[in-house]
Amino acid sequence: MTDQSFRSNYACVVGGAGPAGMGFLFNAYKTGALASLARSGLLVVDAALAVGRGRLGDYHITANSVGDVFLDCLRDPALLPIFAPLEHSAAFRALRNDPHGAPMLTQVGELLAHASTLFMRYVTRHLGVEVALGTRIEKITAQDDGTFQLALRSGSCSWQAAAGGLVLNLGGRQNREYLHWSLAEQDLHLTSDGPIVYSSDALLSLSPAELVELFSDRVTPGSHFTVVGGSHSAFSVLDNLACALDCLGLEQLTLLHRAPIRLFFESAEEARAAGYTVDEGMDVCPVSGRVNRSGGLRYRAHQVGSDVLANGHVSGTRVKVELLRLEDRSPAVRERLEQCCSEPGVMVQAIGYQPCLPALRRANGEPLQVRESKGGLDSDAAGRLHDLSGQPIHGLYSFGLGSGLAANPMLGSERSFDSRIYGVWQFHHDASGRVIEALQEHLAGHAPQATPSLPDTPLEGAPFVLSALG
């Protein structure tokens, strides 16, 4: 533990040092923007006592990108001296030795945590970046002059700071209300004596042995296990449950999905050779030529999805999968959907990440509500958030889990994809790059004003980066 005096004014505060927040910082360093921000005052805040990993390393699933994609986030020449010690990292060696294979996310999380720790140690010592770990942003007030006032807390210590711009990537959560709302859109309702609901986040964080322990008394002949969703996480849940509970005699999993199950292919020719029907106008990215580039299942999830579509089983197990479209109004399907929502069993929510945000207020004390869109917060191409009236909130940016970015025609995506784009590579390149440019433009016209009433605040005994990172 180390005492630290934090200044009262910053050009920028970065809230969240997980994969998205660190992607912003890495990219800012590569482009030279980080040194400029640090000279004007840059504070990084995270509630955890470690950086870089977020929840990513908790998931017992394969990534939806190959190892070289993650290594590409670290190989910029400007970063090489900082990351030299990664040569001794088991996770780094594993990805480097199999660059075209999809690694486990536990390995990716370990690699990002190690790289981020090295990076933070360097920029705090050499650039003067300030980092407060174990610290939460409790409230943000948007001032009339385009700056922000932050109330922060670390343990029993509270303090305030002003910022010219905010980059908030504080993670996402699977809100139970979102599941109820999504089902209610199809006139479906979970009953009080119906299934017990788990989040995909919670189950994907469990090992096979832990899944067996959790559900050993629930797997019986005819037991109901339902997964709601159709994305990578939904098929990863199907895979993990089937592989873990097959030994207990699990017979069937049911998947409730809204959109058609989409598979990723490098080209339309590859898709057709695999027997996949391609809609050239809706499924093919006009920039890359890839099929379902943004919304398609990849790697292990692709294999599971292919086998489920072809023969109704999770590959490598005896577990059957029943597919039910939520919008199907045929009597037989409708009856099954209602059974899934009303009969005892297990339901897994694999949809709907909402952002973790602190209380947002306007200068007059009124709540500042942020507009949402399908798949996350409503932001423009630069990651700038909007209020409920659709007006941009200048200086406030987010692009991580629960936020994401809309598909950009310049970068390419399939027309059928109408959600938000997430991904570690995007966090470290395109998404953060646009935020860096927009933030610099904003700060050029909205330099934070001095506030003599807020002296530099000592946080006695509060955990912060130098003590945490050694």
Side-chain angles (χ1 to χ4, degrees), residues 19 52-60 104-110 112 205:
R53 187 174 181 270
R55 292 288 312 281
L56 192 71
D58 295 342
Y59 302 136
H60 291 264
M104 294 296 294
L105 283 183
T106 49
Q107 290 179 313
V108 176
E110 180 183 342
L112 293 180
S205 300

Side-chain angles (χ1 to χ4, degrees), residues 216-233:
S216 59
D217 61 345
R218 291 191 170 274
V219 178
T220 59
S223 56
H224 297 284
F225 279 72
T226 302
V227 179
V228 183
S231 64
H232 181 80
S233 60

